[in-house]
Amino acid sequence: MKDTPLSNCERDFLLKAIEEKKRLDGRQTYDYRKMKITFGTDYGCCFVDLGKTRVMAQVSCELVAPKESRPNEGIMFFNIELSPMASPAFEQGRQSELSVKLNRQLERCLRNSKCIDTESLCVVSGEKVWQIRVDVHMLNHDGNLMDAASIAAITALCHFRRPDVGIQGDEVTVYSPEERDPIPLSIYHMPISVSFSFFQQGTYLLVDPCEREERVMDGLLMIAMNKHREICSIQSSGGIMLLKEQVMRCSKIASVKVSEITELLNKALENDKKARKEGGRCGFAESLPQERITALKMDETSVEMTDVREKANDIVQKADAPPQKVTSPMVPVPGVGQIGQGLQNTWGLEDDEDDEYDDEEAEECDSGEEQEKTITKMEEEQHQKEASRAGDVINISDSEEEEVVILLPETQDKTLKKTWTSSHQKGAAASKKRQKK
Amino acid sequence: MMDVCGSASVTLRDFGCEQSLLSRPDGSASFSQGDTSVLAASYGPAEVKVSKEIYDRATLEVLIQPKVGLPSVRERSQEQCVRETCEASLLLSLHPRSSLTLILQLIHDDGSVLSCILNAACMALMDAGLPMSCLFCGVTCAIDADGQIITDPTAAQEKESRAVMTFAIDGTKHRVMMSSTKGSFSVNELQQCIAVSQKASEKIFQFYRDSVSRRYSKTL
């Protein structure tokens, strides 16, 4: 599927508006869109809505062997899925440039900044560590996927609880959530990325570009920072030349934004913790907006089943009798099973009908010893045939029949296969003329 | 086992649906049955790759994305079930040489996933306004160890049951469009489950009607 191309008049309109400090949705230059963070039913599932951009993150964990170079550290694995749902331009399975870029940026933002204490994920040094896997799915692409993804990832990591583990000597017990409360990950700081888009060779800048603005931008600057004003990662792409003052200004803006976002994040986590403690149901189903006209909810309903049994009996009685049950397989020789008798081969040429019939008989799974005899007979004949045929017919087949070895009964099916394939070779028309003595 | 229906009625969990929740896809819907939620989005009719085009019909593609990890064989078999149902109900010949894409994202799996996927798919196709000859819905039945039929089982109930069956039922004549079963059961049990599913599907179709009439109540 192709994405709708951007028309020239749209592009001109957007650029002109930006020059006049106007944005399509009426925001100011440094304004973020409305952000909403909700959580799913199980721990580690988080939805982030940044305006219309929608992203879902899920954290899961697994016990694996650690890396050789770091035997007492856990493993973090990040995966951003550009789902075809988010935009018609995204294709399933194809590692597009954008996907690689986002994945790499997220890894640098979260892994290289060491925001998670990986040593606490070690269970048995050198043998078992926790592998924490973060899957981020893009659900709707309306610009600024990177920011939404980074917020979703770090929120999901803060929300996640891993199972408790008990070690007694050599034994490691993993407790299920019902036995012991799962424990949260130890997170040092929360890096959040802020994106700046540049227009007209760095003259104008916009924070949190929407999809249209992203299409006409010249370059993008991504700054990942935490609330302690520490820069975790900076990435400038698009080939725009930025001055030092511009980068400093952007980092100041970023620190303000990051502190706002971190506050919102913490509030959302608090609310969720409170809701879970009260025991209420929480999750995607619960957060369905009720007052919208496009949403509807129906309570638990019961289904009447009074005449179901009669109806079913009716249908069963009227139906035809089931077909004859197939007898269970016969085992003539260990390693060979036979169900029924085969049919006559209807493929071959007409003058070879008799020969094919013989071939068929030989190739069927008959009782073991006869089979052995016929196979060996056929192989001997074939040997002779091929020896005499050498001058007559050019055998262009690449069959393995050249060196036939009489094998033991266990591998009978293998020899069987060989003789079978030989009858279907194109170049071996002569082999069809095998005569059975 | 002949005697299956012990109680006089079975229950469906509370379900909820929201349409048009995503701005990019042509049609989108989220469907929840209890805690199981699925988000569906549909694009189309749109341009199709020449290798995939069919000269007289639209090419339907179904993609199911699991929450964790990459799609595996399990998702492929579910995609097959959904694609067969959709191809039977969509009027594909109205859009030759076009593509219709249906993408489903599993949000949470608490049992009856395939029926939730079917329901979300139907609502997304409705939201996109694609022409269909009939609506369809999915109902999951499970036969537990005592031989009782349970509709819309949770994940825990599915684990304990002897057989789990999902049927896609069509909206006009309440016939079975697709069935996917797991476990062993007798012919009689199968027919009883089908009959129960047909009854349950009436509730779901009523829910479809209610949500659509609510949606267009301001305009019509």
Side-chain angles (χ1 to χ4, degrees):
Chain A
M1 240 186 316
K2 272 204 229 144
D3 205 359
T4 17
L6 189 67
S7 57
N8 283 339
C9 36
E10 267 187 294
R11 177 186 297 269
D12 293 338
F13 178 78
L14 281 161
L15 289 172
K16 200 107 187 294
I18 289 167
E19 281 171 28
E20 294 173 15
K21 305 264 197 245
K22 290 204 175 97
R23 290 177 89 160
L24 270 187
D25 41 12
R27 285 185 279 157
Q28 298 297 316
T29 323
Y30 302 142
D31 281 350
Y32 253 81
R33 286 172 284 184
K34 177 157 165 255
M35 197 183 309
K36 197 169 98 151
I37 302 177
T38 46
F39 297 95
T41 318
D42 44 353
Y43 284 114
C45 180
C46 162
F47 296 89
V48 170
D49 288 9
L50 186 58
K52 291 195 208 144
T53 299
R54 228 164 173 204
V55 153
M56 173 178 92
Q58 173 71 51
V59 180
S60 53
C61 66
E62 205 191 356
L63 274 175
V64 295
K67 290 205 174 106
E68 305 268 319
S69 51
R70 295 183 200 276
N72 58 344
E73 276 184 23
I75 304 175
M76 301 275 309
F77 182 73
F78 299 97
N79 180 35
I80 293 191
E81 284 274 338
L82 291 183
S83 166
M85 188 187 285
S87 160
F90 297 157
E91 270 179 37
Q92 168 74 10
R94 268 257 299 266
Q95 272 278 61
S96 68
E97 210 180 291
L98 178 65
S99 149
V100 171
K101 181 167 155 218
L102 291 174
N103 269 297
R104 196 66 202 106
Q105 278 178 351
L106 188 69
E107 279 198 9
R108 278 173 48 206
C109 182
L110 293 177
R111 192 207 300 261
N112 296 7
S113 65
K114 302 220 188 314
C115 59
I116 307 270
D117 178 16
T118 43
E119 288 192 1
S120 67
L121 298 174
C122 178
V123 175
V124 178
S125 177
E127 282 174 32
K128 287 273 177 222
V129 299
W130 284 111
Q131 178 187 38
I132 305 291
R133 188 197 166 105
V134 182
D135 284 284
V136 183
H137 299 273
M138 303 300 171
L139 301 177
N140 197 41
H141 176 23
D142 196 34
N144 207 0
L145 289 173
M146 185 60 220
D147 288 6
S150 82
I151 297 171
I154 195 64
T155 315
L157 283 167
C158 293
H159 190 245
F160 180 62
R161 305 269 182 278
R162 66 166 171 85
D164 198 2
V165 172
I167 308 178
Q168 282 155 340
D170 278 338
E171 243 184 58
V172 175
T173 342
V174 179
Y175 296 106
S176 70
E178 290 90 39
E179 293 168 13
R180 275 209 209 165
D181 277 342
I183 39 187
L185 300 172
S186 74
I187 297 177
Y188 291 139
H189 61 97
M190 301 201 285
I192 290 174
S193 86
V194 176
S195 297
F196 301 86
S197 54
F198 288 92
F199 304 86
Q200 314 284 41
Q201 274 79 45
T203 326
Y204 304 100
L205 95 81
L206 291 179
V207 174
D208 186 20
C210 72
E211 201 253 335
R212 290 268 169 249
E213 290 163 356
E214 267 189 2
R215 288 231 218 176
V216 299
M217 72 184 175
D218 285 338
L220 186 73
L221 175 70
M222 190 274 292
I223 300 182
M225 235 188 204
N226 60 25
K227 70 172 186 210
H228 308 295
R229 310 193 70 212
E230 296 166 337
I231 294 184
C232 306
S233 154
I234 294 192
Q235 168 112 358
S236 165
S237 55
I240 33 144
M241 313 298 174
L242 291 172
L243 300 168
K244 190 179 89 171
E245 295 82 35
Q246 282 176 308
V247 179
M248 293 306 291
R249 191 155 49 99
C250 289
S251 62
K252 286 204 184 76
I253 299 169
S255 66
V256 171
K257 294 295 164 195
V258 163
S259 55
E260 283 172 13
I261 296 173
T262 313
E263 217 181 278
L264 177 70
L265 213 156
N266 284 325
K267 217 191 311 176
L269 283 165
E270 279 300 315
N271 287 346
D272 180 73
K273 207 198 273 190
K274 224 189 299 174
R276 275 176 208 262
K277 210 186 272 190
E278 283 163 16
R281 269 177 57 182
C282 30
F284 188 72
E286 286 309 300
S287 59
L288 262 185
Q290 285 308 305
E291 59 293 337
R292 290 221 191 121
I293 209 174
T294 50
L296 183 63
K297 234 177 139 141
M298 200 148 103
D299 292 322
E300 202 166 310
T301 49
S302 63
V303 180
E304 282 279 318
M305 281 213 324
T306 40
D307 59 344
V308 159
R309 207 182 307 166
E310 290 80 33
K311 211 168 150 192
N313 283 336
D314 252 350
I315 295 174
V316 173
Q317 274 160 14
K318 286 195 203 145
D320 301 328
Q324 270 259 306
K325 255 180 23 182
V326 173
T327 50
S328 38
M330 243 175 52
V331 183
V333 162
V336 178
Q338 176 189 350
I339 301 180
Q341 301 284 321
L343 297 173
Q344 189 176 353
N345 186 351
T346 51
W347 272 34
L349 314 160
E350 270 149 29
D351 45 348
D352 296 331
E353 248 175 308
D354 292 345
D355 303 332
E356 275 152 21
Y357 188 77
D358 291 343
D359 280 355
E360 282 316 300
E361 267 196 318
E363 285 158 5
E364 258 188 294
C365 299
D366 283 342
S367 65
E369 283 162 308
E370 287 172 9
Q371 197 175 13
E372 215 178 341
K373 277 195 216 138
T374 50
I375 297 284
T376 52
K377 247 196 234 167
M378 287 195 54
E379 284 162 356
E380 283 166 10
E381 289 154 15
Q382 204 167 16
H383 256 310
Q384 295 165 5
K385 274 285 159 193
E386 281 172 358
S388 63
R389 262 190 285 141
D392 307 335
V393 175
I394 301 161
N395 209 347
I396 54 173
S397 66
D398 54 348
S399 98
E400 299 154 303
E401 233 75 26
E402 312 307 327
E403 302 162 337
V404 171
V405 176
I406 313 296
L407 297 170
L408 297 165
E410 300 95 67
T411 50
Q412 202 116 53
D413 32 348
K414 225 194 250 175
T415 56
L416 208 67
K417 278 195 198 129
K418 276 188 188 171
T419 52
W420 183 266
T421 50
S422 69
S423 67
H424 289 282
Q425 281 161 10
K426 288 185 214 165
S431 70
K432 292 232 182 236
K433 295 193 179 135
R434 267 179 300 202
Q435 295 275 340
K436 204 178 158 197
K437 276 190 196 153
Chain B
M1 259 212 253
M2 297 295 278
D3 185 18
V4 190
C5 311
S7 58
S9 69
V10 291
T11 54
L12 292 171
R13 291 181 282 182
D14 50 323
F15 35 88
C17 158
E18 191 187 347
Q19 288 186 310
S20 300
L21 60 163
L22 302 174
S23 70
R24 289 307 289 276
D26 296 331
S28 57
S30 87
F31 202 89
S32 326
Q33 284 174 216
D35 275 336
T36 306
S37 311
V38 172
L39 182 61
S42 86
Y43 283 98
E47 202 178 314
V48 69
K49 275 197 211 146
V50 182
S51 56
K52 290 196 193 150
E53 76 172 4
I54 305 176
Y55 72 97
D56 63 344
R57 291 188 355 245
T59 313
L60 177 67
E61 244 178 67
V62 179
L63 286 160
I64 297 184
Q65 318 256 358
K67 200 152 69 150
V68 178
L70 297 167
S72 68
V73 175
R74 182 160 182 250
E75 278 74 39
R76 296 270 173 261
S77 75
Q78 288 172 334
E79 282 170 17
Q80 173 96 335
C81 296
V82 176
R83 188 177 46 243
E84 284 172 1
T85 318
C86 293
E87 281 183 354
S89 65
L90 283 167
L91 298 175
L92 295 174
S93 47
L94 288 181
H95 302 285
R97 290 199 189 87
S98 314
S99 79
L100 300 174
T101 315
L102 186 60
I103 303 116
L104 299 136
Q105 171 75 50
L106 290 178
I107 307 263
H108 192 251
D109 182 353
D110 190 33
S112 317
V113 154
L114 189 54
S115 57
C116 195
I117 285 176
L118 286 164
N119 293 333
C122 187
M123 297 228 78
L125 293 173
M126 266 204 282
D127 187 47
L130 288 169
M132 293 199 267
S133 62
C134 63
L135 294 178
F136 57 89
C137 79
V139 184
T140 304
C141 282
I143 304 180
D144 67 5
D146 310 322
Q148 298 291 325
I149 297 185
I150 323 166
T151 46
D152 203 12
T154 59
Q157 285 171 327
E158 271 188 4
K159 227 191 216 174
E160 314 271 296
S161 45
R162 166 163 58 94
V164 177
M165 313 180 216
T166 306
F167 301 106
I169 313 272
D170 91 289
T172 43
K173 301 207 180 107
H174 295 280
R175 291 181 301 192
V176 174
M177 292 173 84
M178 184 280 303
S179 80
S180 168
T181 66
K182 189 174 79 160
S184 69
F185 45 87
S186 72
V187 173
N188 211 300
E189 285 169 345
L190 172 68
Q191 290 301 334
Q192 293 196 27
C193 285
I194 291 181
V196 172
S197 304
Q198 285 168 330
K199 291 251 163 166
S201 68
E202 286 166 23
K203 301 274 176 196
I204 303 184
F205 288 125
Q206 189 54 43
F207 177 72
Y208 284 1
R209 280 181 219 112
D210 290 342
S211 36
V212 173
S213 57
R214 176 183 159 101
R215 169 114 184 255
Y216 295 110
S217 60
K218 297 271 182 187
T219 46
L220 295 174

